């Protein structure tokens, strides 16, 4: 389809947002700072309530045609460019968007997109549409105890028995698995080819016999991610996503969506520059030249990140898959989150480590303890730098010593 005029489209988006959301409020004092947690520390009932709140907005967005903006129309998307998606995020940031969770983001921005792109027409109708509308929730069953940065080394196996696949293995760090209906799982289906070539993707029902989810308690208090054990789990062939052996392509596309969602999305994660400024004001520190310097540095970095998100979006081709440049925005987002926590901690000193009851102070501990997680999730800072070096700057690649079939690699 021909692309709508960007300015007219923006106006239309703004009008729609104004009809469903309240305008964003800038915190005037530390007490008014919104939720400062990077990862929620909620009871199961509270988490379910939060998920329901998020779903109301996601459904409205889907029904208005503003979900999956960059997916091609024949894959169930709006067929627009990354620049439209960035414009939507920018317009959205002027409103009070309901707080989101990792699971909503994984369902809509990762699994929904991947199943739309790689699934059959039937899978798109039955699952992708439901994920994009958050009627069904899906987690990402990729990482394993021995396969994080080196994801292609995964050992979870799937063997075909007639019209079914039998899956055995273990996944870890699976965000939201305890609330998910399905999981997009990567499994090794052929150990006798190079490691990337022998992987297949499946959509696993999380209530299938043999799936066991064990929440992991994090240092910030909550348990937003899990270990998932799979013992003889039977999945029908109709839940295979893509061809046998196409799993690595599904994985890399999903991870590129993840970097874009983490780096470019405006889902609130922890404190923002506006929250730090409100904190400095409430502590009476805004006249201190050193504090002003730190605040200015944070402001400039936040502005640079926003400009980079915009630039990457403008240079990305239309067609649904973000390029390696998304690593730049992911890296800048996790760096900004860390620095935001550091400036808040410097402002507060010991007050951040003890709950004195003073509003808007100890809450920053939730930010500080959660921020390191974002330097790992969706590919670590070091891996983003490798991707930028090799695929954006075209520097010589790291030495690869694992070009033989997976079964011949040491330890297999
Ligand atoms: C908050 C959070 C949520 C997550 N959610 C999910 C989820 O929902 N689903 C899922 O599948 N996974 C999830 N993960 C897992 C995440 O993708 C992995 O933690 C990440 O890919 C790193 O893998 P690892 O933890 O095994 O670390 P490792 O790969 O063991 O890395 C250890 C260290 O070595 C460095 N390193 C490794 N290889 C290289 C290299 N080649 N060059 C330079 N440095 C290197 C890393 O940067 C890191 O510092 C989540 C993680 C976090 C923290």
């Amino acid at each position: 389809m021909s692309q709508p005029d960007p300015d007219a489209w923006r106006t239309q988006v703004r009008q729609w947002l104004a009809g469903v959301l309240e305008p964003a409020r800038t915190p005037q004092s530390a007490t008014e700072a919104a939720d400062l947690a990077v990862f929620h520390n909620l009871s199961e009932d509270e988490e379910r309530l939060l998920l329901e709140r998020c779903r109301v907005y996601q459904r409205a967005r889907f029904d208005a045609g503003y979900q999956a903006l960059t997916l091609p129309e024949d894959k169930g998307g709006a067929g627009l460019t990354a620049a439209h998606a960035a414009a939507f995020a920018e317009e959205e940031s002027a409103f009070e968007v309901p707080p989101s969770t990792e699971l909503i983001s994984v369902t809509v921005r990762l699994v929904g997109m991947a199943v739309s792109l790689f699934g059959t027409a039937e899978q798109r109708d039955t699952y992708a549409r439901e994920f994009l509308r958050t009627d069904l929730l899906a987690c990402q069953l990729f990482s394993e105890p021995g396969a994080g940065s080196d994801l292609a080394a995964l050992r979870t196996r799937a063997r075909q028995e007639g019209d079914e696949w039998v899956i055995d293995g273990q996944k870890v760090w699976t965000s939201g698995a305890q609330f998910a209906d399905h999981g997009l799982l990567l499994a090794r289906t052929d150990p006798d080819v190079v490691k990337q070539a022998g992987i297949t993707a499946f959509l696993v029902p999380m209530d299938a016999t043999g799936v066991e989810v064990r929440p992991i308690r994090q240092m910030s208090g909550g348990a937003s991610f899990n270990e998932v054990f799979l013992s003889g789990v039977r999945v029908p062939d109709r839940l295979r996503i893509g061809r046998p052996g196409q799993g690595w392509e599904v994985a890399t596309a999903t991870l590129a969506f993840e970097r874009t969602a983490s780096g470019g999305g405006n889902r609130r994660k922890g404190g923002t520059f506006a929250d730090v400024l409100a904190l400095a004001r409430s502590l009476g520190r805004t006249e201190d030249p050193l504090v002003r310097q730190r605040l200015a540095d944070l402001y400039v970095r936040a502005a640079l990140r926003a400009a980079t998100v915009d630039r990457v979006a403008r240079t990305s081709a239309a067609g649904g898959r973000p390029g390696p440049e998304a690593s730049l925005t992911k890296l800048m987002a996790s760096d900004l989150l860390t620095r935001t926590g550091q400036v808040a901690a410097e402002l507060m000193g010991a007050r951040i480590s003890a709950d004195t009851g003073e509003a808007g102070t100890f809450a920053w501990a939730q930010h500080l303890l959660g921020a390191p997680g974002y330097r790992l999730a969706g590919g670590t800072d070091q891996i983003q730098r490798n991707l930028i070096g090799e695929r954006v700057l075209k520097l010589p690649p790291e030495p690869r010593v694992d070009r033989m079939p997976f079964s011949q690699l040491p330890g297999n």
Side-chain angles (χ1 to χ4, degrees):
M1 100 174 180
S2 65
Q3 299 290 322
D5 170 65
D7 291 337
W9 189 79
R10 249 180 200 268
T11 309
Q12 186 191 316
V13 165
R14 200 174 305 142
Q15 281 167 355
W16 178 77
L17 287 166
V20 292
L21 298 173
E22 295 294 322
R25 284 180 346 103
T26 305
Q28 299 301 319
S29 69
T31 330
E32 284 180 12
D35 185 7
L36 295 172
V38 177
F39 300 105
H40 294 116
N41 182 1
L42 300 173
S43 69
E44 197 176 318
D45 286 347
E46 288 168 333
E47 183 86 31
R48 286 192 194 282
L49 274 175
L50 176 63
L51 283 170
E52 283 316 309
R53 275 185 67 201
C54 299
R55 289 164 108 162
V56 171
Y57 173 63
Q58 296 298 336
R59 282 176 188 146
R61 193 174 153 171
F62 179 94
D63 294 343
Y66 293 129
Q67 202 76 292
L69 292 172
T70 57
L71 268 187
E73 283 176 289
D74 63 342
K75 302 286 184 193
L80 298 174
T81 62
H84 287 93
F88 188 93
E90 201 183 317
E91 291 298 328
E92 206 183 29
S93 64
F95 292 87
E96 285 292 319
V97 182
S100 192
T101 73
E102 285 77 49
L103 185 58
I104 294 287
S105 186
V106 169
T107 301
V108 176
R109 316 261 162 259
L110 278 60
V111 182
M113 299 288 269
V115 176
S116 300
L117 268 186
F118 293 94
T120 59
E122 195 192 333
Q123 288 169 337
R124 269 199 299 281
D125 286 347
T126 317
Y127 298 104
R129 189 180 178 285
E130 304 287 296
F131 295 146
L132 293 173
R133 204 171 176 271
T134 62
D135 291 334
L136 287 175
L137 298 177
C139 59
Q140 180 194 21
L141 293 164
F142 284 14
S143 305
E144 299 184 3
S149 302
D150 187 10
L151 182 60
L154 59 89
R155 287 166 186 274
T156 292
R157 294 268 178 119
R159 63 189 154 78
Q160 194 162 16
E161 277 188 12
D163 203 26
E164 285 183 327
W165 293 82
V166 184
I167 302 173
D168 287 283
Q170 185 199 339
K171 298 290 173 177
V172 73
W173 317 127
T174 318
S175 301
Q178 65 273 59
F179 303 104
D181 302 291
H182 288 80
L184 180 63
L185 172 130
L186 299 176
R188 187 156 308 283
T189 45
D190 184 355
D192 297 321
V193 290
V194 290
K195 60 185 182 178
Q196 290 87 353
I199 296 171
T200 304
F202 300 92
L203 213 46
V204 175
M206 294 303 283
D207 61 358
T209 306
V211 177
E212 188 192 345
V213 178
R214 295 188 199 161
I216 301 174
R217 186 67 52 194
Q218 292 148 233
M219 68 175 170
S220 50
S224 60
F225 50 36
N226 305 267
E227 291 178 293
V228 178
F229 295 85
L230 303 119
S231 316
V233 178
R234 290 185 170 270
V235 171
D237 188 52
R238 64 181 166 74
L239 290 183
R240 172 171 44 79
I241 304 296
R243 297 183 309 277
Q246 201 186 3
W248 189 242
E249 198 187 333
V250 177
T252 48
T254 309
L255 293 171
F257 286 129
E258 184 166 17
R259 288 192 286 273
T260 310
S262 310
N266 59 6
R267 175 167 84 78
R268 187 183 177 91
K269 295 185 232 23
T272 60
F273 170 77
D275 295 325
V276 181
L277 182 61
L279 175 71
R281 285 198 174 118
S282 74
L283 297 172
R285 302 283 305 280
T286 45
E287 298 306 315
D288 179 333
L290 289 179
V291 170
R292 293 176 77 85
Q293 208 169 35
R294 298 291 279 146
L295 288 172
D297 180 67
L298 210 53
Y299 179 82
V300 168
R301 287 176 193 275
L304 278 176
R305 184 207 144 216
T308 309
V309 168
D310 189 55
R311 183 166 58 85
V312 168
R314 280 176 204 285
T315 51
S316 298
R321 290 199 217 181
E325 299 81 7
S327 289
L328 282 171
T329 59
K330 160 71 169 68
L331 198 56
M332 290 177 98
S334 62
D335 179 66
L336 186 61
L337 206 63
T338 305
R339 289 174 189 272
T340 303
Q342 281 166 353
V343 178
E346 284 167 20
L347 281 168
M348 271 182 285
R351 254 183 289 199
I352 199 169
S353 56
D355 191 359
T356 59
E358 193 181 346
T361 56
F362 183 62
W364 276 97
Q366 284 289 314
H367 177 114
L368 215 58
L369 294 174
Y374 260 93
R375 305 187 76 160
L376 310 175
T380 66
D381 285 0
Q382 290 79 8
I383 295 301
Q384 305 307 332
R385 289 196 168 93
N386 284 352
L387 286 169
I388 293 166
E390 291 184 19
R391 298 181 48 203
V392 180
L393 301 175
K394 312 283 182 208
L395 297 174
E398 283 195 324
R400 306 268 192 259
V401 291
D402 51 5
R403 295 270 189 222
M404 68 280 273
F406 179 77
S407 53
Q408 290 172 24
L409 290 170
N412 291 324

